[in-house]
């Protein structure tokens, strides 16, 4: 089976940098994905790490260390619109994404 | 890019009735469809996986006779909530993978309210 752990809440101010960690336990782990979800909306894909290391996409970066079963999402230059829930998700090859419980990010001015 | 259209976006139904939710892949062939359910302030929980032309595989605790999944074509999968009860009120989301799409494409979700 798979399980992914992440903090339930994170707060930050506009312009700051925040890191959301994700640790996982899964057999046959294939890759780690990150999704953003605003209230009432569907999850939106942010980033994927299939290999160890850092992936950068604009203000968002994601990191994976397979040896540590650990990854994180880094959000820079925070904006109010970044207030949302963020989910890490893992999968075995060809199977469904299994989501962590989600981290609620609140960005204040 | 890959697009999955999910309908309806919102539905209110009476207790005891059935509701059908459709997910269509618009520009790729969805060989595998995943159905999730999300209660307020909770994560997305996988309900079932369906491959085109095969019976769906349900996760533990999900009643297959209550949540009927049909994936008869490579562009359409449906989830029917039968004899709905208020506790079935939730956000239902589909996700598709295709023959050329190695990522997961999500539908926009269906907010089901059973009264």
């Amino acid at each position: 089976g798979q399980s992914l752990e992440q903090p339930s809440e994170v707060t930050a101010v506009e312009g700051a940098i925040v890191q959301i960690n994700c640790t996982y336990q899964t057999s046959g782990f294939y890759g780690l994905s990150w999704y953003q979800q605003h209230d009432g909306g569907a999850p939106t894909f942010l980033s994927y790490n299939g290999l160890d290391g850092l992936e950068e996409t604009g203000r968002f970066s994601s990191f994976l260390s397979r040896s540590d079963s650990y990854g994180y999402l880094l959000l820079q230059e925070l904006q109010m619109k970044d207030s949302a829930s963020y989910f890490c998700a893992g999968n075995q090859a060809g199977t469904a994404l299994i989501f962590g419980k989600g981290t609620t990010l609140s960005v204040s001015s | 890019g890959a697009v999955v259209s999910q309908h309806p976006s919102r539905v209110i139904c009476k207790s005891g009735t059935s509701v059908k939710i459709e997910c269509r892949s618009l520009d790729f062939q969805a060989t595998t469809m995943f159905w999730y359910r999300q209660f307020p302030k909770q994560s997305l929980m996988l309900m079932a996986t369906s491959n085109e032309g095969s019976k769906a595989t349900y996760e533990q605790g999900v009643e297959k006779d209550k949540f009927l999944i049909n994936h008869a074509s490579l562009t359409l999968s449906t989830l029917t909530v039968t004899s709905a009860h208020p506790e079935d009120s939730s956000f239902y989301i589909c996700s598709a993978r295709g023959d050329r799409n190695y990522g997961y494409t999500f539908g926009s979700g269906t907010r089901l309210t059973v009264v």
Side-chain angles (χ1 to χ4, degrees):
Chain A
Q2 299 183 58
S3 67
L4 300 99
E5 298 294 328
Q6 52 183 126
S8 59
E9 293 183 5
V10 174
T11 59
V13 297
E14 276 187 300
I17 299 172
V18 74
Q19 178 174 312
I20 300 174
N21 298 321
C22 176
T23 57
Y24 61 87
Q25 293 183 353
T26 181
S27 57
F29 176 81
Y30 199 70
L32 192 69
S33 302
W34 288 92
Y35 285 81
Q36 178 192 62
Q37 186 180 34
H38 285 97
D39 278 348
T44 303
F45 173 77
L46 291 178
S47 188
Y48 172 74
N49 294 79
L51 302 173
D52 282 4
L54 190 67
E55 291 287 337
E56 297 179 85
T57 308
R59 295 187 297 117
F60 297 167
S61 303
S62 60
F63 172 82
L64 176 65
S65 169
R66 289 174 177 270
S67 60
D68 296 322
S69 297
Y70 164 76
Y72 67 71
L73 177 70
L74 190 73
L75 299 89
Q76 303 182 71
E77 300 173 20
L78 282 175
Q79 303 173 11
M80 296 290 285
K81 67 178 182 179
D82 296 328
S83 294
S85 293
Y86 292 83
F87 296 90
C88 58
N91 67 288
Q92 299 166 307
T95 64
L97 282 172
I98 302 301
F99 287 81
K101 293 185 177 180
T103 299
T104 300
L105 171 63
S106 299
V107 181
S108 59
S109 56
Chain B
V3 177
V4 171
S5 175
Q6 183 171 347
H7 292 281
S9 58
R10 294 178 178 272
V11 58
I12 301 173
C13 71
K14 290 185 177 180
S15 213
T17 62
S18 295
V19 173
K20 180 184 285 189
I21 300 169
E22 292 189 350
C23 274
R24 294 180 182 273
S25 56
L26 300 185
D27 49 4
F28 68 101
Q29 295 185 325
T31 51
T32 307
M33 192 73 78
F34 307 100
W35 287 93
Y36 294 85
R37 177 169 55 181
Q38 184 178 33
F39 292 108
K41 305 299 183 184
Q42 295 188 22
S43 186
L44 287 80
M45 299 302 296
L46 180 67
M47 298 175 67
T49 300
S50 72
N51 292 297
E52 184 267 336
S54 303
K55 288 185 178 180
T57 301
Y58 290 81
E59 295 299 301
Q60 191 173 6
V62 178
E63 301 174 58
K64 62 179 182 181
D65 294 330
K66 180 172 182 61
F67 299 98
L68 303 180
I69 292 172
N70 185 289
H71 193 174
S73 82
L74 285 170
T75 58
L76 175 64
S77 178
T78 61
L79 167 67
T80 301
V81 183
T82 63
S83 187
H85 290 109
E87 56 264 33
D88 298 324
S89 297
S90 188
F91 191 53
Y92 292 86
I93 311 171
C94 63
S95 174
R97 296 193 76 191
D99 53 345
R100 297 180 184 179
N101 170 27
Y102 296 104
Y104 298 83
T105 303
F106 284 82
S108 53
T110 297
R111 176 78 56 192
L112 170 64
T113 302
V114 184
V115 297

